[in-house]
Amino acid sequence: MIPMLNDEFHFVRAGLRLKNRAVLAPLTHNMSEENGDPGRAELDWLARCAEGGFGLLIGAATQVQAGGRCWPGQPALMTDAQQSAFAKLTQSAEENGALALIQLHHGGVRAQPELNGTAPVGPGAIPPGGRYPLGVSALTGPQILQLIDAFVLAAERAHGAGLHGIELHAAHNFLLCNFLNPLLNRREDGWGGSLAGRARMLLAIVRGIRERLPRSFLIGVRLSPESYAHIEGIQLANQLALVELLVEEDVDYLHFSMGDSFKAASEDPAGGSLLAAVRAGVAGRVPLMVAGKIRDAESAKQALAGGADLVAIGSAAIGNPDWPKRVNLDLPLDQPPFETARLTMSGFTPRAQDYLRSFPGLVAQAS
């Protein structure tokens, strides 16, 4: 039976339920403080989305260790003050019958030197030049262990803030994705080589969280299914083989960032659906969340019919923080490019609006 958007969803092993299958995707909007403290505007916007009817909220990519920052207004979860601030997200979610997670992140090769005061790091060294004016420094074994601990500690802080779980960002050419990518990860020390070696860091983080926190604490993993834009080396076959390893580690869901949830798989010469390929690879063994061009009731229905258990709403939520309520009542949705006045009313700061304007067609250009 095909699930409907308003159907409940049960994370069986964690014993947690969602009131519907609409998920607020983790969205970067640069509304936190320069030191990583979650900003009031950021938390207020998430509260609007909770009030707007989302069953699950996933907070923006959140820094776990100094040196991994990618955006000037990126939140962090590394201090007691930051943990206390995120408790406000828990409160907003629970007041509206929703669950709330935070996405844990390290920028890897995409970390910005001007924000971190140092060259980015990755599985291997890259000489200075081009996209990497300071080059990329190869992480040592001890540094990898420190990073694993940083992710696990941030998850403990999320639990301390009352959040219902975390999502590990292993997509979009950030650190965990860098290690999974055989073109970037050519290590020969046990943190590379085979798929198991490339996935070792990610799996160690999952195990560390499971060892330290209750089984009711959700762990999700976000993955890119294939290469995109200028990024190369992410192959669907490798990502689906990784699914096998993550299923064994008892993750609660996999979140595939599809770019377009309805596109053909780039590696399928017959032009088969990417979603169908992912669905077949996951094979119902773990809940599947997808994001990418899910904009309205019809596209959400199409994604659920195609095999997704949960649909993550990204750009459409920027202009419609009440997206689930509007869809449920069959009310019209605001369409991009979103006007400045609409974004201001939703709580987006001028800096956030400047950032959002960098995405073509998303925000109306200032006159």
Side-chain angles (χ1 to χ4, degrees):
M1 184 175 178
I2 297 173
M4 303 298 289
L5 188 64
N6 283 329
D7 288 348
E8 282 191 350
F9 182 78
H10 188 195
F11 289 108
V12 177
R13 293 178 182 176
L16 296 175
R17 290 185 182 272
L18 300 179
K19 63 183 178 182
N20 59 39
R21 294 168 185 251
V23 179
L24 176 68
L27 295 168
T28 296
H29 25 60
N30 286 1
M31 292 199 290
S32 284
E33 305 301 331
E34 296 303 325
N35 64 355
D37 288 354
R40 183 72 260 176
E42 181 126 10
L43 295 168
D44 286 347
W45 188 79
L46 290 167
R48 286 185 180 90
C49 294
E51 294 163 4
F54 284 96
L56 178 64
L57 307 158
I58 307 178
T62 297
Q63 191 179 358
V64 301
Q65 187 185 68
R69 199 170 203 197
C70 286
W71 303 281
Q74 182 177 6
L77 188 46
M78 302 186 291
T79 69
D80 291 346
Q82 290 160 0
Q83 177 176 321
S84 296
F86 275 119
K88 298 180 178 67
L89 171 56
T90 304
Q91 180 180 356
S92 298
E94 293 183 343
E95 286 175 351
N96 291 281
L99 301 184
L101 315 181
I102 202 69
Q103 186 186 70
L104 302 183
H105 168 269
H106 187 290
V109 302
R110 290 185 60 186
Q112 298 300 303
E114 63 272 22
L115 300 177
N116 297 296
T118 185
V121 297
I126 300 175
R131 291 190 178 89
Y132 310 111
L134 300 184
V136 174
S137 300
L139 287 163
T140 66
Q143 287 173 326
I144 292 172
L145 295 177
Q146 289 170 1
L147 263 164
I148 292 168
D149 285 343
F151 273 96
V152 175
L153 178 57
E156 290 184 292
R157 287 193 175 280
H159 180 261
L163 293 166
H164 304 94
I166 56 89
E167 178 176 282
L168 298 172
H169 201 335
H172 299 176
N173 204 36
F174 296 122
L175 182 71
L176 297 178
C177 185
N178 300 157
F179 269 79
L180 296 172
N181 187 336
L183 292 187
L184 287 178
N185 185 351
R186 301 176 181 273
R187 300 177 72 106
E188 299 177 353
D189 63 350
W191 299 102
S194 66
L195 172 65
R198 298 195 307 274
R200 182 180 169 194
M201 183 180 184
L202 173 61
L203 300 179
I205 294 167
V206 174
R207 288 175 194 149
I209 296 170
R210 281 280 179 254
E211 288 170 0
R212 297 194 204 177
L213 294 175
R215 184 59 190 84
S216 58
F217 189 76
L218 296 170
I219 301 176
V221 178
R222 194 176 210 198
L223 298 170
S224 295
E226 55 187 17
S227 297
Y228 65 97
H230 66 276
I231 308 304
E232 298 180 351
I234 304 170
Q235 296 183 337
L236 181 59
N238 285 342
Q239 298 300 78
L240 295 181
L242 174 64
V243 168
E244 306 286 336
L245 301 179
L246 290 169
V247 167
E248 291 176 8
E249 296 300 331
D250 197 26
V251 297
D252 291 289
Y253 71 87
L254 295 176
H255 180 180
F256 276 87
S257 184
M258 309 281 277
D260 180 347
S261 298
F262 313 106
K263 71 185 290 287
S266 62
E267 298 171 34
D268 184 351
S273 158
L274 178 60
L275 178 54
V278 170
R279 177 195 65 205
V282 173
R285 292 169 297 168
V286 63
L288 173 62
M289 181 189 302
V290 299
K293 297 192 185 307
I294 301 172
R295 296 169 173 161
D296 53 21
E298 185 56 36
S299 52
K301 181 179 179 181
Q302 185 180 350
L304 291 168
D309 298 295
L310 300 163
V311 290
I313 313 304
S315 60
I318 290 170
N320 302 276
D322 54 352
W323 188 92
K325 286 186 175 179
R326 290 196 186 200
V327 166
N328 189 42
L329 296 172
D330 199 25
L331 296 175
L333 295 164
D334 285 350
Q335 299 295 329
F338 302 118
E339 296 294 334
T340 297
R342 177 72 178 94
L343 296 178
T344 300
M345 184 174 67
S346 292
F348 287 102
T349 63
R351 181 171 72 175
Q353 293 181 38
D354 287 343
Y355 171 74
L356 295 173
R357 283 192 188 92
S358 67
F359 297 90
L362 184 60
V363 179
Q365 295 299 313
S367 57

